[in-house]
């Protein structure tokens, strides 16, 4: 099997789709995660997002509710 | 979310080559997964080695040199695991015959040549961001592989690789913070 066969596209949302999703749902209905560095988060982030830098994500997955949809950026 | 915070703010995303692809085990044999991991490590090694010699940023170049060595160690680890799992010596042309590659590829199936082309003229910050995405993919890959293989030894090897990828992520994040 070729290497490329092991990889498939992952579903992603455009910023417009995310805005629409956030408009239609309450903050408690989803996990919105900012995986950038803390200083980037401080400069600006999507309202309601939770900061979990990608390097910390493996150890902090328990902070996300697996029953809710998760949007990461 | 496509394009990350830049796109949210209405800015054009830089379009890094890793975007939007993820590894799926597709019912492969453990030997195939190990060969795949070895190939991707080799691709990453080539990418990091190139960055190590072209980056003007000494601190970043030093990190990429260390990562090049780390990928070599991962390749050796995976080769040892292949011997155990397949109960045979890998062929001299390993991993050919097990998986096929049109050209060098790294995590996410990204072609090394495309990543290097993208990297031209970009600063250490952009390259670290791309590399962190690659290491995150690696982390994900080894967790999935650890679930697929049987035997305590194989699971221990993948658990160690997971921890090492996590360590790489932490070091890259620290360097990224320097430039923020």
């Amino acid at each position: 099997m070729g290497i490329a066969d092991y990889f498939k596209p992952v579903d992603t949302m455009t910023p417009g789709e995310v805005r629409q999703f956030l408009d239609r749902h309450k903050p408690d209905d989803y996990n919105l995660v900012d995986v950038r560095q803390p200083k980037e988060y401080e400069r600006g982030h999507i309202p309601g997002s939770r900061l979990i830098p990608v390097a910390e994500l493996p150890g902090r997955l328990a902070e996300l509710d697996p029953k809710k949809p998760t949007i990461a950026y | 979310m496509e394009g990350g915070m830049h796109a949210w703010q209405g800015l054009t995303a830089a379009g890094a080559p890793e975007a939007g692809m993820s590894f799926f085990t597709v019912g492969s044999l453990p030997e195939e997964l190990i060969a795949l991991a070895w190939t991707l490590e080799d691709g990453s090694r080539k990418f990091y080695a190139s960055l190590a010699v072209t980056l003007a940023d000494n601190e970043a170049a030093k990190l990429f040199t260390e990562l090049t060595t780390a990928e070599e160690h991962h390749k050796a680890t995976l080769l040892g695991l292949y011997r155990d799992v397949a109960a045979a010596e890998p062929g001299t042309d390993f991993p050919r015959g097990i998986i096929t590659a049109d050209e060098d590829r790294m995590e996410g199936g990204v072609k090394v040549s495309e990543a290097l082309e993208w990297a031209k003229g970009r600063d250490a910050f952009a390259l670290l961001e791309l590399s962190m995405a690659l290491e995150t993919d690696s982390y994900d890959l080894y967790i999935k592989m650890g679930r697929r293989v049987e035997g305590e030894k194989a699971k221990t090897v993948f658990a160690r690789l997971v921890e090492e990828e996590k360590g790489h992520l932490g070091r890259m994040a620290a360097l990224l913070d320097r430039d923020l």
Side-chain angles (χ1 to χ4, degrees):
Chain A
M1 190 150 71
I3 289 181
D5 297 326
Y6 288 92
F7 296 93
K8 292 190 172 72
V10 179
D11 285 339
T12 56
M13 296 170 81
T14 65
E17 288 168 340
V18 172
R19 282 180 208 280
Q20 202 171 52
F21 179 92
L22 300 183
D23 282 346
R24 291 178 179 174
H25 295 82
K26 296 174 185 167
D28 287 344
D29 292 341
Y30 53 82
N31 302 301
L32 180 59
V33 188
D34 189 328
V35 297
R36 300 173 302 153
Q37 293 301 102
K39 287 178 188 169
E40 293 175 291
Y41 182 85
E42 285 167 19
R43 286 177 194 162
H45 55 266
I46 298 178
S49 61
R50 177 197 300 259
L51 173 68
I52 307 182
V54 69
E56 297 175 22
L57 197 53
R60 295 179 58 185
L61 287 177
E63 295 177 29
L64 304 177
D65 186 343
K67 293 175 188 158
K68 298 175 182 174
T70 298
I71 300 170
Y73 68 95
Chain B
M1 181 176 74
E2 284 174 27
M5 194 62 187
H6 286 293
W8 178 265
Q9 292 168 327
L11 304 171
T12 306
E18 89 289 2
M21 300 292 278
S22 184
F23 166 75
F24 290 85
T25 50
V26 294
S28 307
L29 295 170
E31 294 93 313
E32 292 170 350
L33 296 180
I34 294 166
L36 171 68
W38 187 96
T39 305
L40 300 175
E41 290 284 358
D42 193 47
S44 298
R45 179 190 61 79
K46 287 172 179 165
F47 180 63
Y48 292 152
S50 177
L51 298 185
V53 296
T54 53
L55 267 175
D57 183 319
N58 286 340
E59 206 175 344
K62 183 169 175 281
L63 176 58
F64 281 118
T65 300
E66 289 171 18
L67 289 170
T68 303
T69 306
E71 305 298 25
E72 278 294 354
H73 290 154
H74 285 184
K75 281 172 58 189
T77 299
L78 289 163
L79 211 53
L81 186 59
Y82 179 87
R83 285 190 188 96
D84 287 342
V85 170
E89 276 297 309
T92 51
D93 59 348
F94 180 88
R96 285 196 186 126
I98 303 169
I99 54 169
T100 55
D102 49 348
E103 62 176 287
D104 292 332
R105 288 181 185 256
M106 48 190 193
E107 294 306 331
V110 174
K111 291 179 180 176
V112 175
S113 59
E114 283 181 7
L116 287 173
E117 187 60 33
W118 182 88
K120 279 180 186 169
R122 297 192 187 270
D123 60 15
F125 189 88
L127 297 172
L128 280 167
E129 281 194 321
L130 171 61
S131 302
M132 284 183 75
L134 297 173
E135 294 290 324
T136 304
D137 281 343
S138 241
Y139 180 88
D140 180 55
L141 179 82
Y142 288 138
I143 288 176
K144 287 174 179 167
M145 286 186 175
R147 288 177 187 149
R148 280 296 310 280
V149 295
E150 292 178 2
E152 204 52 43
K153 187 173 180 183
K155 286 187 180 297
T156 303
V157 167
F158 281 116
R160 196 177 83 219
L161 289 169
V162 165
E163 284 306 308
E164 288 177 8
E165 299 297 0
K166 198 157 70 173
H168 295 168
L169 273 173
R171 294 187 60 197
M172 289 175 168
L175 196 52
L176 206 60
D177 267 340
R178 180 203 64 175
D179 294 336
L180 285 169

